[in-house]
Amino acid sequence: AAELEYESVLCVKSDVNVYRIPPRTSNRGYRASDWKLDHPDWTGRLRVTSKGKTAYIKLEDKVSGELFAQAPIDQYPGIAVETVTDSSRYFVIRIQDGTGRSAFIGIGFTDRGDAFDFNVSLQDHFKWVKQETEISKESQEADTRPKLDLGFKEGQTIKLNIGNMMTKKGGVAKPRVSGSGGLSLLPPPPGGKIAAPPVPPPSSTAIANHVTPPPVLKSSIMSGADILLDLDAPASASKAPASATTDLWGDFSTASSAVPNQAPQQSSWVQF
């Protein structure tokens, strides 16, 4: 896996100074003012590269590119790269050779912007390393958890009811009726009945011209005839002389008396 990893360049600075630093006598940190800043021990080019999760600070010759020293970094901030207490342009790095020996040297940049770029390149790399570690840890935890079986079992079905789509029997779903104001009104249920519109009440003229007569009893045949005559006769006939009304009913009585042998009427007939 290490052979398949490729090396990427994170930062390149063409001017860096290297200093021999005295051993640290206390835990208060390094001070750049204790170094001989006007007389650097070596001057060259600095490259910051990464291979996998490890970053490397490489000090190379400006012309030939020959490697002068290399400092592998596993974490930042850490013991491999430390800042000084009195300046932001100087750092202390731990260099290592192929035999496992290590030493601490000081490096410094003439431009403060170069020191800022060097610091940010290391921070971005190890921020990425932290994210990759968290993602791999979450994926491992997800693999150990029991997986949910969300598939359909044998014979299990699901039914979807979507508006304006063909139903299972081949019918077409009824579209929704849009009412005023942009609101959708649902159609009436299939088993419901629509009430018929109410019948308007009859006008007063129709009530005056048509009145249903009350039932006629046998004991009051003649009085019932008078009531029917008064109800069915128009307004003009009610003003006719009483003699005409008497003659009309007299004809009916004469005609009935002219037949002496007529059989008696049934109780359901009315005699006029």
Side-chain angles (χ1 to χ4, degrees):
E3 295 178 356
L4 297 177
E5 295 177 350
Y6 61 90
E7 185 178 18
S8 61
V9 179
L10 304 179
C11 180
V12 177
K13 296 300 175 183
S14 60
D15 190 8
V16 63
N17 298 323
V18 177
Y19 304 92
R20 291 183 180 179
I21 60 176
R24 183 167 52 180
T25 58
S26 62
N27 294 330
R28 65 178 183 176
Y30 293 97
R31 293 175 57 89
S33 59
D34 297 337
W35 309 343
K36 298 178 181 180
L37 300 180
D38 297 335
H39 302 281
D41 296 297
W42 185 84
T43 301
R45 179 181 66 188
L46 179 142
R47 283 198 311 141
V48 180
T49 63
S50 65
K51 189 174 183 181
K53 296 182 179 181
T54 306
Y56 297 90
I57 299 175
K58 295 183 178 183
L59 303 175
E60 301 171 345
D61 187 82
K62 292 183 180 180
V63 179
S64 64
E66 183 181 358
L67 181 64
F68 172 74
Q70 175 177 277
I73 306 171
D74 296 332
Q75 62 179 0
Y76 182 78
I79 193 174
V81 180
E82 298 182 47
T83 58
V84 297
T85 59
D86 56 349
S87 177
S88 61
R89 296 185 294 115
Y90 297 92
F91 302 86
V92 176
I93 63 174
R94 184 184 62 182
I95 58 176
Q96 292 181 353
D97 59 3
T99 60
R101 295 181 301 175
S102 63
F104 291 92
I105 61 174
I107 60 174
F109 300 93
T110 305
D111 189 358
R112 196 175 302 274
D114 293 342
F116 177 79
D117 295 341
F118 168 75
N119 190 17
V120 170
S121 63
L122 292 176
Q123 289 179 355
D124 291 344
H125 171 72
F126 286 99
K127 186 182 296 183
W128 170 81
V129 171
K130 183 179 179 181
Q131 293 177 354
E132 287 293 321
T133 304
E134 292 177 353
I135 292 174
S136 61
K137 184 178 179 180
E138 290 178 358
S139 62
Q140 291 177 359
E141 291 178 355
D143 294 339
T144 56
R145 296 173 185 171
K147 297 181 179 180
L148 297 176
D149 186 9
L150 301 179
F152 286 100
K153 305 298 186 294
E154 183 178 358
Q156 185 178 4
T157 58
I158 185 172
K159 181 180 180 181
L160 299 178
N161 188 7
I162 304 175
N164 298 332
M165 296 292 290
M166 298 296 292
T167 59
K168 188 175 181 181
K169 296 182 180 180
V172 180
K174 296 181 180 179
R176 294 186 176 182
V177 181
S178 178
S180 59
L183 299 177
S184 298
L185 300 178
L186 295 175
K193 296 182 180 180
I194 301 176
V199 180
S203 61
S204 59
T205 306
I207 295 175
N209 294 335
H210 179 75
V211 178
T212 304
V216 182
L217 300 177
K218 292 182 180 181
S219 61
S220 57
I221 296 177
M222 297 305 296
S223 62
D226 294 338
I227 293 174
L228 291 175
L229 180 62
D230 293 337
L231 294 176
D232 293 336
S236 58
S238 61
K239 297 180 180 180
S243 60
T245 306
T246 306
D247 296 339
L248 178 61
W249 289 98
D251 294 340
F252 281 98
S253 301
T254 306
S256 60
S257 60
V259 187
N261 296 328
Q262 187 177 1
Q265 298 182 355
Q266 297 179 2
S267 62
S268 62
W269 290 86
V270 179
Q271 182 179 0
F272 292 95

